[in-house]
Structures are given as C-alpha cells and as structure tokens.
Amino acid sequence: MEKRPVFLLSKTMSENILDVVSILVILCTFAYLAYVWPLIPERIPTHMNGQGKEDGWGNKYSLILLPVMTLILYIGLTVLSKYPHTFNYPYKITNENATRQYVNARLFMQCLKMLIVVMFGYVEWTLIQIAWGKSVALDIWIFSIVLLLILGTIIFFVIRSIKLK
C-alpha cells in the first residue's frame, strides 16, 4: 500500500462559504421545526406512494428524525473531509500534486454536503406542509434538479481532479 503525503491544509474561502450555508440551513431547519411544532397535528403522514398519496402514518415526533440525521451526516462528512489523504483517487498522489488534489477533494465534499443538507431541509419543509394538509407534493422537478446538481458536482470535480493531476 502506498504511503500518501499528509498535510495540514487550511480551509479555502469557498469551503468556508459552503460550510456557513450548510450550517445556516441546518439551523433554519431546526428553528422552523421548533417554531411550527405546536401547530403540527399529532398524527402526520410519514410516507407517500408513487402517486403522492399518503400510505404511512406516524406521530409528529418522527419529524425530528430528518434534521437529526442531517446533522449527523453533516458532522460525519465534515470529519471525513479532514482526511483527504484517505480518499480514493484514480491515480497516484505525490508530494507535487497532493495539495491540489486534497483541496479539490475537500471542496467536492463541501459542495456535496451543502447540496445534501439543502435537499433534506426541503424535504423537512415539505413534510410539515403535508402534515398541515396542504397539497404540496414532493415535486419531482425539484428532486430531479437536486439530483442533477449532485451528479453534475461529481462529474465536475472528477474532471477537475484529472486536470489537476
């Protein structure tokens, strides 16, 4: 097994901005849930079928699960991004290319983390709207756009990694 260089790299401005956006979305999700909590009925839909009809029910405490999972995912990806030398790369990491590759990989993780946090925040907002009986379906267009953004982010950073080789 090859030994990769390990550097202590400071975060870039782009990473800091993406991190702040992610934290703000998480805080807003928790704050919104706390604000509307008294207005949410005790029994809420927890699952929808392919046609958007509710086919699973639970109590309102199940709404806490998604923001908590988002926070755990955020923390896990933040910790993981501190160790870019452990990531898989399509080619050998050397002392000459390590800094470029590590910064690129960390920025990729920050972008991906922010997109996931925003998507989960949207899902939480939508579930609350549905719990109130509003006909807000989990819009396939919004999910398609977010999934395309995630796929596009992966492709962009893989291409960028190849160019930074």
Side-chain angles (χ1 to χ4, degrees):
M1 184 169 168
E2 70 179 275
K3 183 86 168 152
R4 291 185 180 157
V6 178
F7 300 118
L8 183 60
L9 301 169
S10 58
K11 288 171 71 171
T12 65
M13 178 67 89
S14 298
E15 289 176 285
N16 286 327
I17 290 170
L18 291 167
D19 220 14
V20 167
V21 169
S22 296
I23 291 168
L24 285 175
V25 170
I26 290 170
L27 290 174
C28 286
T29 302
F30 276 105
Y32 180 67
L33 181 59
Y35 178 73
V36 300
W37 188 259
L39 307 172
I40 299 171
E42 288 300 320
R43 185 170 180 255
I44 61 164
T46 57
H47 190 268
M48 275 51 98
N49 64 20
Q51 288 79 35
K53 293 283 189 185
E54 298 90 3
D55 63 358
W57 297 85
N59 73 32
K60 71 181 188 178
Y61 289 95
S62 62
L63 287 173
I64 297 171
L65 183 61
L66 192 58
V68 169
M69 285 181 7
T70 304
L71 182 61
I72 291 169
L73 185 62
Y74 171 84
I75 292 168
L77 290 174
T78 299
V79 170
L80 180 63
S81 70
K82 293 183 183 297
Y83 304 99
H85 61 279
T86 64
F87 296 175
N88 286 326
Y89 295 90
Y91 39 80
K92 185 176 172 99
I93 298 297
T94 64
N95 285 332
E96 292 77 34
N97 70 5
T99 301
R100 293 187 308 268
Q101 292 298 328
Y102 293 171
V103 169
N104 186 59
R106 281 194 340 209
L107 185 57
F108 165 66
M109 292 291 287
Q110 290 287 19
C111 287
L112 197 59
K113 181 171 57 172
M114 191 263 313
L115 286 170
I116 291 168
V117 165
V118 167
M119 183 176 67
F120 281 15
Y122 173 73
V123 169
E124 181 75 4
W125 177 83
T126 303
L127 289 172
I128 291 169
Q129 300 305 306
I130 292 169
W132 284 339
K134 295 183 180 176
S135 62
V136 179
L138 292 173
D139 193 353
I140 192 69
W141 289 108
I142 292 176
F143 275 118
S144 298
I145 290 169
V146 171
L147 290 176
L148 283 174
L149 283 171
I150 290 172
L151 181 61
T153 300
I154 293 168
I155 292 168
F156 173 82
F157 279 100
V158 167
I159 292 170
R160 189 169 182 225
S161 178
I162 291 167
K163 288 182 179 179
L164 292 172
K165 188 175 180 181

